[in-house]
C-alpha cells in the first residue's frame, strides 16, 4: 500500500515568525555596521548612511510584524517599547540625510534606540521568567 507524504506543519522550518526574526537580526547588524563605518572609513563616503538606513527599515519591519500576542500586559508594553527603538533608528536615518543636521543628531537617536534596546533585552526575559 502506498502512503502519501503530506507536509506536516511541525516540520516546516521557515515560518513567518522566523523570517521576521531574521529581519530583526540582520537589521541590528546593519545598524551596528553603519554606526561603525564612519570611524573606519577615511574617504568620507556616504555608504554608511545607506547601510544604516537599510538596517533601520529592516528592523522596523521585523518589529512591526513580530508583535506580542499574549495576555501579559507588562510583556505587551515591553514589546511595544522595543518597537519604539526601531522608530528611533529610523529618525536617526532622517537626520543622517537632513543637510542642516549635525553628526550629534543622528548619534543621539542611535544612542536612545540602543538604550531602549538594552533595557528591553534585559526586562523581557526577566518578565517571562517571573510569569512562569
Amino acid at each position: 500500500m502506498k502512503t502519501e507524504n503530506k507536509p506536516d506543519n511541525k516540520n516546516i522550518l521557515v515560518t513567518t515568525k522566523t523570517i521576521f526574526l531574521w529581519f530583526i537580526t540582520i537589521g541590528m547588524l546593519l545598524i551596528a555596521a553603519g554606526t561603525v563605518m564612519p570611524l573606519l572609513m577615511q574617504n568620507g563616503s556616504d555608504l554608511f548612511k545607506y547601510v544604516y538606513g537599510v538596517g533601520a527599515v529592516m528592523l522596523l519591519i521585523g518589529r512591526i510584524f513580530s508583535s506580542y500576542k499574549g495576555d501579559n500586559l507588562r510583556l505587551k508594553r515591553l514589546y511595544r517599547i522595543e518597537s519604539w527603538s526601531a522608530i528611533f533608528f529610523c529618525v536617526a536615518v532622517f537626520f543622517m540625510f537632513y543637510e542642516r543636521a549635525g553628526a550629534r543628531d543622528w548619534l543621539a537617536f542611535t544612542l536612545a534606540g540602543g538604550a531602549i534596546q538594552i533595557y528591553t533585552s534585559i526586562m523581557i526575559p526577566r518578565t517571562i521568567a517571573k510569569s512562569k
Side-chain angles (χ1 to χ4, degrees), residues 27-43:
M28 290 297 293
L29 289 172
L30 288 174
I31 288 171
T35 305
V36 173
M37 283 174 71
L39 299 173
L40 301 177
M41 296 173 55
Q42 300 296 325
N43 58 2

Side-chain angles (χ1 to χ4, degrees), residues 43-58:
N43 58 2
S45 174
D46 287 343
L47 178 66
F48 76 95
K49 294 178 183 180
Y50 298 103
V51 170
Y52 189 100
V54 169
V57 169
M58 286 182 73

Side-chain angles (χ1 to χ4, degrees), residues 13-87:
L13 294 176
V14 179
T15 62
T16 56
K17 186 173 183 174
T18 57
I19 289 171
F20 291 122
L21 287 177
W22 276 104
F23 263 62
I24 292 169
T25 304
I26 293 170
M28 290 297 293
L29 289 172
L30 288 174
I31 288 171
T35 305
V36 173
M37 283 174 71
L39 299 173
L40 301 177
M41 296 173 55
Q42 300 296 325
N43 58 2
S45 174
D46 287 343
L47 178 66
F48 76 95
K49 294 178 183 180
Y50 298 103
V51 170
Y52 189 100
V54 169
V57 169
M58 286 182 73
L59 181 65
L60 183 65
I61 291 170
R63 292 285 183 220
I64 288 173
F65 289 110
S66 66
S67 62
Y68 178 70
K69 306 235 184 318
D71 293 334
N72 191 337
L73 291 178
R74 183 172 174 109
L75 276 175
K76 195 172 199 175
R77 178 185 59 88
L78 286 169
Y79 278 103
R80 193 173 300 134
I81 290 171
E82 196 173 42
S83 297
W84 274 97
S85 70
I87 293 170

